[in-house]
Amino acid sequence: MKALITGMSGFVGPFLRKSLSKNGYAVYGLDRQNPKKDKKIKICDITDSEAVEKVIADIKPDAIFHLAG
């Protein structure tokens, strides 16, 4: 199973990522920045619908958790 978390670098994102990973999910993130150069975080502005659609098409997540503000 794959999960996509928008705003994964924010306050709640790392906690959700850890929980999902412990439960067998491959976790990917979507964020405006990637300060730690994490290969599982795609840089994307969620107001750019075409970019978001491309990320979703590439990852094909089973679940999406929207935490981006």
Side-chain angles (χ1 to χ4, degrees):
M1 301 270 299
K2 294 181 190 175
L4 176 65
I5 303 172
T6 66
M8 192 160 84
S9 297
F11 180 73
V12 178
F15 296 102
L16 179 57
R17 180 183 190 174
K18 186 176 182 180
S19 178
L20 289 170
S21 293
K22 284 183 178 180
N23 286 291
Y25 281 84
V27 182
Y28 298 86
L30 190 65
D31 218 312
R32 289 187 302 178
Q33 57 187 348
N34 187 357
K36 295 182 181 179
K37 307 293 184 217
D38 187 331
K39 293 180 182 178
K40 296 271 184 158
I41 297 178
K42 307 295 182 191
I43 296 175
C44 180
D45 183 341
I46 63 166
T47 64
D48 183 346
S49 61
E50 289 180 15
V52 172
E53 287 176 14
K54 181 180 180 336
V55 170
I56 291 171
D58 289 346
I59 295 173
K60 297 179 179 70
D62 298 294
I64 299 173
F65 298 88
H66 180 56
L67 304 179

